[in-house]
Amino acid sequence: MFRALQATFGIAVVVFLLMPIFAILPLAFTSSVFLNYPIPAYSMRWMHELTTAEVWRTSILNSLIIGSGATVLATVLGTLASLGMRRGALPMAGLLRTMFLLPMVVPAVVLGVGMQIFLVRLGLASTYLGVIIAHAVLCIPFVIVSVSAALQGIDPTIERAASSLGARPVTVFRRVTLPLAIPGVVSGAIFAFATSLDEVVLTLFVAGPNQRTLARQMFSSIRENISPTVAAAALLLIVGTLCLGGLGALLRWRQGRKTAAAAA
Amino acid sequence: MRPFIQFESVSKAFGSVTVVNALDLAIEKGEFVSLLGPSGSGKTTILMMLAGFERPTQGAIYLDGKRIDHLPPYRRQMGVVFQNYALFPHMTVAENVAFPLEMQRVPRAEIARRVERALDMVKLKPLKDRRPSQLSGGQQQRIALTRALVFEPSVILMDEPLGALDKQLREHMQLEIRELHKRLGLTIVFVTHDQSEALTMSDRIAVFNAGRIEQIDNPQVIYDTPRTRFVAEFIGETNLIEAKIASVDNQVARLSLGAGLSARAHAAGGLSAGQTASFSLRPERIRLGMAPEGSNALDMTITDCIYHGDHMRVQLARDDFSLVARCERLAGHWTVGAPVVASFDPRDCTVLAQ
């Protein structure tokens, strides 16, 4: 009886979480000009619109440019930060770590306002670089969490061994530390890209008309004219995110298998 | 001329805790020296200072006449073998062994040849394309050893390298390492807390306690004539005897053991009548039954008899004075409660420093 209740509740939660996604997806293939049910007939017209209309095409391109830029920046900085905070080599590493993770909890609106003022000062407001920097700030915590976990899994005596065998510190990093941490770095990068992809609030504050990302374009188009292109864009985002998530899961699975083999 | 490896009044403190205290230690080329002691006695810290992972707080370390304590590990040319093997999990066995040679920029063809030869030496060539995780503990340890040997370092350092192996494999590896040491003329510094391991493998043993060397000598001297109470108790089993010295005459001290018993012991000097001192008497040096000419003979009672397979452990007492004797299994039948004469040579009863 209790188990049945448990199962029902579990299913209900999953449905609650997934319904909005399933509700929007079929509308990507509607033939009507309205974003609502019932769907009169299925057609590819909105998918076509998404890939041909100038404003949507540039927004997809922008998302890719900004996402890649932010991912590279966040991955490099986040990995360096994780290395620096490793094993208490720094004083107050704990405090530093909290600071680095702060963008995860600070309201994006607050971050957005601050970022806008800051970027205007730097003369980077409404530039690609400005948006990339803003997104990177948001992405760095994900990289740090993931890379730190990977670094923690490396036995420090392995690096000592390398050093005793004649490897200089840079060589130890290149030949031992980095190869062992790379799964964490890659999964951090995936998280970073996914975060940048669906970021709206910060983008609203710091991006100019030229840096309109896909998420931002969806947000504004749903307020101006509710066309089913939004649903098509949503489909694109979800498929993209699922691919990234799948890649991350694959990496984690392979890593898990490796450590399991090492433990055996 | 300086010895090959020399610690000159080296101290190491972590914060306010002194782990190594004004250590002087000299090791000759080709020697196998064990650093033996309980955990926390500073032996691993000494090895880490020699390898370059820790810096002495005070003092100097010399290798082959050159001061090395300021050099980073990668400039010291020492092969280190760690307890947990520390193989590179992302490299194959052959890549692991090739690593130190690559660091020395040995030509590729020569690397392949030397790796091949080294793996042949430990009979693991068939496994060269495996990952460390696919090997057994003993195989991993052998690879770690090979990796530390292949670049022909001046010294091999081993930090409890056999601690994670089961007893049989450990004994096998002990022989293998000993054999390698003899065949290649290696200088080995070996850290262990296992006294039997130190006794079987070493040319010399340094017994550590609380950051100091209690005694350093060859295994036989360490075992037969421990200088301090700590060494006597840490190495093997012993009877510690607290006795009042009745008289000293010509290097022989007459002891009164209590319960009306008295015995003679070898006195190394510095002892005088009336003083109380500790003595060590190994259980296997005590004979039961008959007393040969010139030995001490004590009339005691058997209080317990414990069967240990290859030997018997017989507990003896007289009032509050007690001894443990170790006897051959077939040396006789000992009945609990029976009186017996326990005898030992005065030279086997050695005085310990306070």
Side-chain angles (χ1 to χ4, degrees):
Chain A
M1 174 61 195
F2 183 68
R3 288 191 62 88
L5 252 165
Q6 245 183 343
T8 319
F9 184 72
I11 291 165
V13 170
V14 170
V15 168
F16 175 74
L17 289 177
L18 291 184
M19 262 337 264
I21 297 171
F22 287 121
I24 185 89
L25 289 188
L27 289 173
F29 301 103
T30 185
S31 62
S32 144
V33 292
F34 300 110
L35 187 66
N36 58 7
Y37 286 99
I39 294 170
Y42 288 96
S43 100
M44 290 299 285
R45 84 182 257 211
W46 302 113
M47 292 306 277
H48 188 70
E49 164 93 6
L50 184 68
T51 49
T52 49
E54 188 58 31
V55 57
W56 286 104
R57 279 183 50 174
T58 37
S59 72
I60 292 172
L61 197 64
N62 279 342
S63 267
L64 291 178
I65 293 171
I66 291 166
S68 321
T71 302
V72 170
L73 190 62
T75 306
V76 171
L77 292 181
T79 304
L80 289 176
S82 309
L83 285 167
M85 290 183 297
R86 196 175 174 206
R87 272 179 234 133
L90 276 181
M92 298 196 296
L95 186 68
L96 272 177
R97 179 174 301 274
T98 315
M99 299 275 279
F100 275 119
L101 298 184
L102 225 47
M104 264 176 158
V105 282
V106 170
V109 187
V110 178
L111 212 54
V113 176
M115 201 69 84
Q116 192 183 32
I117 298 169
F118 180 61
L119 290 176
V120 167
R121 275 285 162 91
L122 290 180
L124 289 174
S126 305
T127 62
Y128 279 103
L129 185 59
V131 185
I132 287 173
I133 290 173
H135 278 199
V137 168
L138 217 57
C139 297
I140 281 175
F142 292 98
V143 178
I144 287 184
V145 167
S146 163
V147 175
S148 292
L151 287 176
Q152 211 147 42
I154 300 176
D155 177 358
T157 55
I158 289 177
E159 290 165 292
R160 285 192 159 187
S163 149
S164 76
L165 295 170
R168 289 160 179 280
V170 175
T171 315
V172 174
F173 177 71
R174 196 170 49 82
R175 296 283 311 270
V176 179
T177 315
L178 193 59
L180 291 174
I182 207 74
V185 176
V186 171
S187 84
I190 289 170
F191 273 122
F193 191 78
T195 306
S196 165
L197 211 56
D198 77 352
E199 156 54 37
V200 178
V201 182
L202 265 186
T203 318
L204 280 174
F205 279 98
V206 298
N210 286 331
Q211 292 89 39
R212 200 164 265 239
T213 61
L214 184 58
R216 164 83 209 276
Q217 171 61 24
M218 286 170 71
F219 181 74
S220 47
S221 86
I222 206 151
R223 287 169 49 201
E224 292 152 13
N225 60 328
I226 311 174
S227 107
T229 330
V230 173
L235 180 74
L236 188 68
L237 270 183
I238 285 169
V239 170
T241 313
L242 280 182
C243 286
L244 285 177
L247 190 62
L250 187 75
L251 276 171
R252 268 198 302 283
W253 175 72
R254 277 189 42 185
Q255 180 70 354
R257 231 178 31 157
K258 245 188 235 167
T259 35
Chain B
M1 200 181 130
R2 287 186 187 280
F4 188 55
I5 297 173
Q6 187 181 29
F7 281 74
E8 206 173 63
S9 56
V10 170
S11 295
K12 175 70 185 177
F14 293 104
S16 60
V17 185
T18 305
V19 185
V20 176
N21 203 341
L23 172 87
D24 288 306
L25 174 63
I27 294 168
E28 293 303 334
K29 201 176 177 91
E31 234 189 338
F32 191 129
V33 173
S34 289
L35 312 182
L36 175 66
S39 56
S41 59
K43 57 191 194 302
T44 297
T45 309
I46 289 161
L47 200 75
M48 293 297 121
M49 285 195 283
L50 195 50
F53 302 128
E54 301 284 357
R55 283 216 179 169
T57 318
Q58 260 170 14
I61 304 171
Y62 297 89
L63 172 70
D64 211 3
K66 286 186 281 288
R67 190 164 170 175
I68 57 161
D69 48 275
H70 59 282
L71 290 181
Y74 56 87
R75 302 254 314 266
R76 295 200 185 190
Q77 288 278 307
M78 296 186 183
V80 186
V81 182
F82 295 90
Q83 173 168 14
N84 62 356
Y85 322 128
L87 294 173
F88 305 129
H90 57 299
M91 299 184 196
T92 64
V93 164
E95 284 166 350
N96 264 282
V97 177
F99 188 85
L101 298 173
E102 284 171 30
M103 294 301 115
Q104 292 189 333
R105 306 190 190 285
V106 173
R108 199 165 284 274
E110 197 190 330
I111 291 183
R113 218 181 52 231
R114 280 169 73 177
V115 167
E116 194 98 328
R117 202 178 52 200
L119 287 175
D120 226 14
M121 194 174 71
V122 288
K123 301 180 186 70
L124 286 177
K125 206 157 92 183
L127 304 178
K128 69 183 167 64
D129 293 323
R130 298 247 189 117
R131 294 283 166 118
S133 56
Q134 295 167 302
L135 304 179
S136 72
Q139 290 168 334
Q140 288 187 45
Q141 188 53 274
R142 238 176 261 163
I143 295 301
L145 194 61
T146 312
R147 189 181 63 175
L149 285 172
V150 73
F151 67 112
E152 289 161 10
S154 50
V155 187
I156 306 281
L157 308 180
M158 301 193 184
D159 184 15
E160 311 223 3
L162 309 178
L165 304 178
D166 62 51
K167 189 168 177 289
Q168 243 177 347
L169 194 57
R170 197 163 63 221
E171 281 167 7
H172 178 77
M173 286 299 292
Q174 283 173 9
L175 294 180
E176 216 168 284
I177 292 172
R178 222 174 98 96
E179 221 273 309
L180 277 173
H181 165 244
K182 281 192 188 147
R183 189 147 52 94
L184 307 177
L186 303 169
T187 308
I188 298 182
V189 183
F190 188 97
V191 162
T192 180
H193 65 262
D194 182 336
Q195 41 115 351
S196 73
E197 197 165 279
L199 287 172
T200 47
M201 298 177 78
S202 331
D203 293 328
R204 281 196 302 155
I205 301 175
V207 185
F208 279 85
N209 183 30
R212 290 177 182 280
I213 295 182
E214 293 263 334
Q215 189 172 0
I216 176 164
D217 220 316
N218 69 52
Q220 197 178 345
V221 172
I222 294 264
Y223 186 82
D224 286 343
T225 50
R227 217 168 45 206
T228 66
R229 187 183 175 132
F230 178 82
V231 176
E233 286 187 307
F234 194 75
I235 314 253
E237 195 190 2
T238 199
N239 289 293
L240 272 180
I241 303 167
E242 300 281 340
K244 201 173 160 96
I245 296 166
S247 66
V248 182
D249 180 24
N250 198 16
Q251 296 254 316
V252 177
R254 181 157 282 280
L255 317 176
S256 72
L257 304 172
L261 292 171
S262 71
R264 281 162 300 126
H266 180 72
L271 289 177
S272 56
Q275 180 186 5
T276 307
S278 308
F279 293 82
S280 161
L281 175 60
R282 298 288 184 194
E284 71 274 16
R285 302 287 179 186
I286 301 176
R287 269 153 305 179
L288 299 183
M290 28 129 214
E293 193 70 21
S295 68
N296 292 297
L298 307 176
D299 291 315
M300 315 242 339
T301 309
I302 295 172
T303 55
D304 203 357
C305 201
I306 302 153
Y307 177 69
H308 276 269
D310 59 339
H311 69 273
M312 303 284 287
R313 200 152 289 251
V314 183
Q315 305 215 341
L316 312 162
R318 174 146 156 189
D319 298 342
D320 57 351
F321 178 74
S322 61
L323 288 176
V324 176
R326 182 186 155 129
C327 307
E328 291 301 312
R329 190 158 53 114
L330 301 171
H333 285 287
W334 315 113
T335 335
V336 173
V340 71
V341 175
S343 67
F344 57 90
D345 193 298
R347 278 167 302 181
D348 290 333
C349 186
T350 55
V351 67
L352 301 172
Q354 288 300 314

